[in-house]
Amino acid sequence: MAKHIPLNVLDHVSVSEGQTVSEAIEQSIEAAQLLDKLGFKRLWFGEHHNMINLASAANSILIAQAAMVTEKIRVGSGGIMLPNFAPLQVAENFGTLAQMFPNRIDLGLGRAQGTDARTAQLLIRSGSDPQSFANSIYDLTGWFSDEGLAHSVPVTSNVGTGTNVPIWVLGSSMNGASIAGQLGLPFSVASHFTPDNYREKIDLYRSTFKSTAPTAQIEEPYVMAGINVLVAPTDEEAQRLWTTTQQFLLDAQTGKQQLLQPPVDPEEIGTEQERALIESMFSNKAVGSPETVRKKLEEFTEYSGADELIVVTYTYDPEDRKRSMELLAELWF
């Protein structure tokens, strides 16, 4: 049997037609408890703004709630979009989480803003250029250190001191891969929605990795790769359930704001050209029966050379998502 590396889940707290935001959050927290029991290593919450179909805007709050009702699974951000926050605020939030839930909190940091330009202007707190991003991470590592002081200014986060919260760099570009490598931090490549050249990004990360960087938290390169996953008893059922994701992606491309829609026949979604575009953008996927998904994940693991996988699953019915996770655990663990 091929090597089965650790498996993780990225949750954007999707909101389906006929569902309230409150219900979507409740379903997400229930899913966290299920993932904990099934043996998944990490549950990360994304950050998105100005989207009516995703409720993961304040992910540090979701992390706290999920950690509170689980026992073993690591809970973190996938990610905190650092330009939207003052770095000290992040240090205080995640330092507090680490004090409440020792050795269970991850801090994934992204350089994108998780939203449109207009909304970003209402959120922006720190620079998104590579140097500003790296400088902010440099201060964060100081705030989480045993000394608890930022590297650039003599300011302490207090609650973060000595927590040594693991920091990951999230990236969908060559810049992100290079930053992660030069900082000596683990790299989570966004291959689930930017599949082009993802292996080259991983290679660049490994080639630029510096274990001697003052920000380094690991001695060797370490990669997590994202992939879209949906498991059902048969290939046919999985493909039909996948049409909810296809509709969601088409809406994102066309700027249409609507909640997650029920499954439909594939030919009902957009034009043939639009369907081809969606499939090319989300070509890194494992959708099908347990056997189909197992083979695809093993192939993806081998080709990517990843140390861990993180999966993204959208379904109209939350029960279908939970079933997908149960089937995924059965075929992988």
Side-chain angles (χ1 to χ4, degrees), residues 14 16 32 49 79 82 103 105 112 135 148 171 181 205 220 233 257 288 301 314:
S14 58
S16 297
H49 305 279
L82 200 49
N103 302 313
I105 301 299
N135 289 342
Y205 162 69
E220 300 288 339
Q257 287 265 23
T301 298
Y314 296 105

Side-chain angles (χ1 to χ4, degrees), residues 11 50 85 108 156 161 207 216 221 241 296:
D11 189 355
N50 193 31
F85 298 90
T156 179
T161 301
S207 68
L241 293 175
K296 178 62 178 178

Side-chain angles (χ1 to χ4, degrees), residues 159-275:
V159 293
T161 301
T163 56
N164 296 298
V165 174
I167 293 177
W168 292 70
V169 173
L170 281 57
S172 59
S173 68
M174 291 295 187
N175 268 339
S178 178
I179 291 170
Q182 293 180 54
L183 295 180
L185 296 172
F187 177 50
S188 181
V189 59
S191 42
H192 58 294
F193 74 88
T194 52
D196 292 346
N197 304 322
Y198 77 89
R199 182 55 201 259
E200 284 84 350
K201 296 165 191 172
I202 293 173
D203 291 342
L204 177 62
Y205 162 69
R206 293 187 184 280
S207 68
T208 57
F209 185 84
K210 295 181 180 179
S211 62
T212 57
T215 50
Q217 293 188 340
I218 52 178
E219 295 182 358
E220 300 288 339
Y222 197 86
V223 174
M224 180 190 298
I227 184 170
N228 301 281
V229 171
L230 205 165
V231 196
T234 66
D235 288 340
E236 292 75 19
E237 183 178 359
Q239 290 295 335
R240 181 170 177 81
L241 293 175
W242 174 248
T243 61
T244 290
T245 304
Q246 292 176 308
Q247 294 176 80
F248 167 69
L249 300 178
L250 181 59
D251 289 342
Q253 288 300 304
T254 59
K256 184 177 182 180
Q257 287 265 23
Q258 68 172 347
L259 303 180
L260 260 64
Q261 297 297 300
V264 296
D265 292 333
E267 59 271 15
E268 296 179 32
I269 301 171
T271 65
E272 185 175 348
Q273 185 177 11
E274 287 172 333
R275 290 195 295 272

Side-chain angles (χ1 to χ4, degrees), residues 82 86-88 91 109 132-145 148-157 167 183 214-215:
L82 200 49
L88 178 59
L109 297 171
S132 296
F133 182 63
N135 289 342
S136 294
I137 293 177
Y138 189 41
D139 279 340
L140 279 164
T141 59
W143 280 316
F144 292 138
S145 71
L149 287 173
H151 294 287
S152 64
V153 289
V155 173
T156 179
S157 73
I167 293 177
L183 295 180
T215 50

